[in-house]
C-alpha cells in the first residue's frame, strides 16, 4: 500500500467524482482509477460503488477513509517534524475561526508568527462551528478558535483563550448620558441590528433576553462584524457585541459602548486542536503561544479605557 493510493482514495471520497479527484491530484483519471483498484485488490474489499460514475463509498470505504485521512495527516506531521529538527518549524498553519472571533485571532497569531517566522498562515473565518469541528477532525485544519461546548469535546484538546462579555454599542443619544451599564430589558426596547441566529454569540444574546421572557426580532441581521458596526454608525441602530471586538474597531465620535448587566453574560472562546496522534509541529507551537497569552487582561483593560473616555 502506497501513500499515493490513499491520497487518491481520499480525493475521490471528498470530490465524489473521479475526474475532479484526478484533477485535484494532478494525475490522469485512468491512473487514479488504477491506483484505487490496486488498493482494493490489496485490501480484498470494494471501497467505491461504481456505475457510470461515482455512486458513493461502500461501508468498508466509509471506514477506510477515516483511517486514510489520519494516516496521511500523521505522515505529513512526521515529515514536518523531521524538517523542524533540521531547520526549524516551517510549513503552513491552517487556522479556522468562527466569524465573531476573527477580530481577535490576530492577537494569537501575532505571538505565534513572532516565534515562528518561517510558518505561513491560512485563516478560514466564514464557517460555522460544526463545519470547523468537522474539518479539524478530518485533518483539514490544524486548529480552530470557537466557543467550546461539552458535546464537541470528544477527541480534541481545548486551551481557553478568554471570556467574552457583551456590550451595547449605540449612537450616543440613544442611551442616557453618563450611563455605563444597561439592563437587557432596556436594551430590548431599542432598535437593534444583531448577528444572524445561526451564530453562537447571537444564541447567547437570545438566551440572555429569554431570562427576562423577551424574544427579540431585530429588523437587521448579519453575519458580518464590519456590517454590524456600519449599521450602528448610521445613527439609526444599536447592537449587542462581544467586548473583545472593541479593541480592533474604533468607537470614536457618535458611537459608544455600554456594558450589559442583569445578567452579566460571559462566553468562553478557546483554541481547539485535534487530540488524535502527536499533532503537527505548527499546531503544537500555536498551543504553546496561546498558553502564554493573557487575553482577558488585555481586553478588559482596553474595554474599560474605551468606556471611561465617553
Amino acid at each position: 500500500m502506497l501513500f499515493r493510493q490513499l491520497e487518491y482514495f481520499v480525493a475521490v471520497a471528498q470530490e465524489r467524482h473521479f475526474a475532479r479527484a484526478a484533477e485535484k491530484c494532478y494525475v490522469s483519471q485512468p491512473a487514479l482509477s488504477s491506483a484505487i483498484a490496486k488498493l482494493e485488490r490489496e485490501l480484498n474489499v470494494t471501497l467505491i460503488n461504481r456505475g457510470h460514475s461515482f455512486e458513493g463509498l461502500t461501508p468498508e470505504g466509509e471506514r477506510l477513509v477515516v483511517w486514510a485521512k489520519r494516516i496521511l495527516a500523521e505522515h505529513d506531521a512526521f515529515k514536518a517534524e523531521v524538517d523542524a529538527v533540521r531547520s526549524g518549524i516551517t510549513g503552513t498553519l491552517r487556522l479556522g475561526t468562527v466569524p465573531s472571533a476573527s477580530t481577535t485571532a490576530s492577537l494569537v497569531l501575532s505571538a505565534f508568527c513572532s516565534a515562528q517566522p518561517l510558518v505561513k498562515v491560512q485563516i478560514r473565518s466564514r464557517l460555522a462551528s460544526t463545519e470547523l469541528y468537522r474539518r479539524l477532525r478530518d485533518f483539514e485544519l490544524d486548529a480552530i478558535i470557537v466557543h467550546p461546548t461539552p458535546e464537541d469535546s470528544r477527541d480534541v484538546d481545548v486551551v481557553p483563550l478568554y471570556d467574552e462579555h457583551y456590550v451595547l454599542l449605540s449612537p450616543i443619544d440613544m442611551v442616557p448620558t453618563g450611563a455605563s451599564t444597561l439592563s437587557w430589558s432596556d436594551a430590548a426596547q431599542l432598535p437593534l441590528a444583531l448577528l444572524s441566529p445561526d451564530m453562537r454569540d447571537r444564541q447567547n444574546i437570545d438566551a440572555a433576553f429569554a431570562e427576562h421572557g423577551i424574544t427579540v426580532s431585530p429588523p437587521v441581521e448579519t453575519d458580518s462584524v464590519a456590517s454590524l458596526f456600519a449599521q450602528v454608525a448610521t445613527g439609526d441602530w444599536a447592537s449587542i457585541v462581544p467586548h473583545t471586538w472593541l479593541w480592533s474597531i474604533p468607537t470614536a465620535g457618535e458611537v459608544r459602548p455600554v456594558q450589559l448587566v442583569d445578567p452579566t453574560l460571559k462566553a468562553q472562546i478557546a483554541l481547539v486542536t485535534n487530540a488524535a496522534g502527536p499533532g503537527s509541529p505548527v499546531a503544537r507551537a500555536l498551543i504553546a503561544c496561546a498558553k502564554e497569552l493573557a487575553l482577558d487582561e488585555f481586553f478588559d483593560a482596553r474595554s474599560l479605557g474605551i468606556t471611561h473616555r465617553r
Side-chain angles (χ1 to χ4, degrees):
M1 184 188 304
L2 301 176
F3 287 111
R4 184 173 62 252
Q5 293 170 296
L6 296 178
E7 289 172 358
Y8 294 171
F9 172 61
V10 169
V12 172
Q14 291 175 333
E15 298 296 327
R16 306 187 69 80
H17 192 276
F18 283 97
R20 288 198 300 268
E23 183 177 355
K24 181 178 181 179
C25 296
Y26 302 101
V27 296
S28 67
Q29 184 173 335
L32 179 138
S33 297
S34 175
I36 294 175
K38 183 178 180 181
L39 178 63
E40 290 177 316
R41 290 195 298 272
E42 290 176 3
L43 297 175
N44 195 30
V45 294
T46 300
L47 300 173
I48 298 172
N49 292 315
R50 298 172 176 82
H52 294 294
S53 60
F54 177 86
E55 295 183 357
L57 300 180
T58 65
E60 294 84 356
E62 294 284 359
R63 293 292 298 275
L64 178 64
V65 76
V66 175
W67 282 99
K69 289 177 179 178
R70 176 173 295 185
I71 290 168
L72 292 172
E74 294 193 355
H75 176 247
D76 291 342
F78 172 73
K79 291 193 297 183
E81 197 82 56
V82 173
D83 290 339
V85 172
R86 182 187 305 122
S87 57
I89 296 176
T90 59
T92 300
L93 170 69
R94 302 164 300 169
L95 178 68
T97 172
V98 290
S100 59
S102 61
T103 58
T104 56
S106 60
L107 297 172
V108 180
L109 291 174
S110 177
F112 172 78
C113 291
S114 294
Q116 307 297 338
L118 300 180
V119 177
K120 296 181 179 180
V121 179
Q122 294 178 348
I123 305 173
R124 299 287 181 266
S125 62
R126 304 287 292 178
L127 300 173
S129 294
T130 52
E131 178 62 12
L132 289 173
Y133 274 103
R134 184 197 68 76
R135 294 193 184 196
L136 181 70
R137 291 193 171 98
D138 283 350
F139 305 98
E140 296 172 22
L141 293 172
D142 298 299
I144 58 177
I145 299 177
V146 292
H147 297 87
T149 60
E151 56 268 27
D152 292 320
S153 63
R154 64 176 180 83
D155 301 328
V156 297
D157 292 322
V158 178
V159 177
L161 293 176
Y162 57 85
D163 285 337
E164 296 177 329
H165 60 75
Y166 295 89
V167 297
L168 180 84
L169 198 64
S170 73
I172 58 174
D173 59 355
M174 199 173 281
V175 295
T177 302
S180 60
T181 63
L182 194 72
S183 71
W184 289 84
S185 296
D186 290 336
Q189 306 306 311
L190 301 175
L192 294 174
L194 296 179
L195 295 167
S196 55
D198 60 309
M199 299 179 71
R200 184 63 57 84
D201 275 310
R202 171 60 187 281
Q203 293 163 12
N204 292 338
I205 289 167
D206 286 346
F209 279 125
E211 288 194 23
H212 295 276
I214 298 170
T215 300
V216 292
S217 298
V220 178
E221 296 178 327
T222 177
D223 63 357
S224 166
V225 174
S227 175
L228 212 53
F229 275 87
Q231 296 299 326
V232 177
T234 66
D236 297 325
W237 311 97
S239 187
I240 297 173
V241 302
H243 78 299
T244 54
W245 291 13
L246 301 181
W247 79 277
S248 61
I249 302 181
T251 55
E254 300 299 310
V255 176
R256 61 180 294 222
V258 178
Q259 184 173 349
L260 286 165
V261 296
D262 187 26
T264 300
L265 184 66
K266 290 190 176 182
Q268 188 182 84
I269 293 289
L271 177 71
V272 179
T273 53
N274 197 325
S280 66
V282 291
R284 295 201 305 273
L286 183 64
I287 291 171
C289 285
K291 288 181 176 179
E292 296 297 320
L293 299 176
L295 293 182
D296 276 321
E297 296 176 12
F298 174 89
F299 291 126
D300 288 344
R302 278 151 183 78
S303 62
L304 284 173
I306 290 169
T307 301
H308 289 164
R309 290 200 301 269
R310 300 296 163 227

